[in-house]
Amino acid sequence: MTAPIFVINGPNLNRLGTREPEIYGRATLADVEATCREAAGERPLRFLQSNYEGEIVEWIHEAIDAGAGIVINPAGLTFSSVPVIDALKMSARPVIELHISNIHRREEIYHRSLVSRVATAVIAGLGPAGYPAAVAAMAGLLDRGAGR
Ligand code: DHK
């Protein structure tokens, strides 16, 4: 069976397109989803967004149970959420941490990612194009049988 990919988006990403466009661009979340589905081709893909930590944790559990690779933009939860990190640690499949912006060139509060400590790889600063890049990279990792 072709392992699925879950793309999970955190708080405020539902506002892409109008939220600080000078940082995040003008593509909407729906635009971003379309690029992910194009990159995934026939591979099953779940594209999700929530402003609630618990819902994101439950989607990570669902991804793990489905044997899925996880592409996650935790947004602001990146820097604070132990529950998200604890859930990601349970994944036997790759986890790619994704940020539209280069968080290391931004304000100090964005410099210390808790998620990077458990992620297989990190993509930051490619803009919305980072999403299809992450999906394509994840497909390659899954096809090679890579673990987290
Ligand atoms: C998105 C957010 O909402 C911020 O909280 C992160 C990330 C950066 C992004 O660049 O996609 O710090």
Side-chain angles (χ1 to χ4, degrees):
M1 178 193 88
T2 304
I5 295 174
F6 276 48
V7 180
I8 299 172
N9 294 278
N12 298 300
L13 289 169
N14 55 308
R15 310 289 285 183
L16 278 184
T18 56
R19 173 195 180 197
E20 297 181 276
E22 70 281 5
I23 297 173
Y24 301 110
R26 296 202 177 276
T28 65
L29 196 62
D31 295 333
V32 169
E33 178 176 0
T35 65
C36 289
R37 294 197 179 285
E38 184 179 0
E42 296 301 310
R43 183 183 299 271
L45 182 136
R46 294 281 308 279
F47 190 91
L48 305 158
Q49 185 279 329
S50 177
N51 295 321
Y52 302 98
E53 180 182 53
E55 189 168 28
I56 288 170
V57 167
E58 288 176 355
W59 282 334
I60 293 169
H61 296 167
E62 197 178 318
I64 291 167
D65 293 344
I70 298 170
V71 173
I72 183 164
N73 182 344
L77 295 175
T78 305
F79 315 100
S80 62
S81 177
V82 174
V84 166
I85 288 34
D86 286 346
L88 290 172
K89 281 180 180 177
M90 292 187 275
S91 176
R93 292 288 176 95
V95 173
I96 295 178
E97 177 187 353
L98 173 62
H99 300 286
I100 294 170
S101 63
N102 179 347
I103 56 175
H104 303 293
R105 287 182 62 173
R106 298 186 59 193
E107 304 92 309
E108 177 70 24
I109 58 169
Y110 297 122
H111 290 179
R112 280 181 294 280
S113 166
L114 298 179
V115 175
S116 297
R117 302 175 187 201
V118 299
T120 310
V122 181
I123 296 176
L126 293 182
Y131 280 87
V135 170
M138 179 59 79
L141 289 168
L142 292 169
D143 287 347
R144 294 199 295 277
R148 181 172 59 83

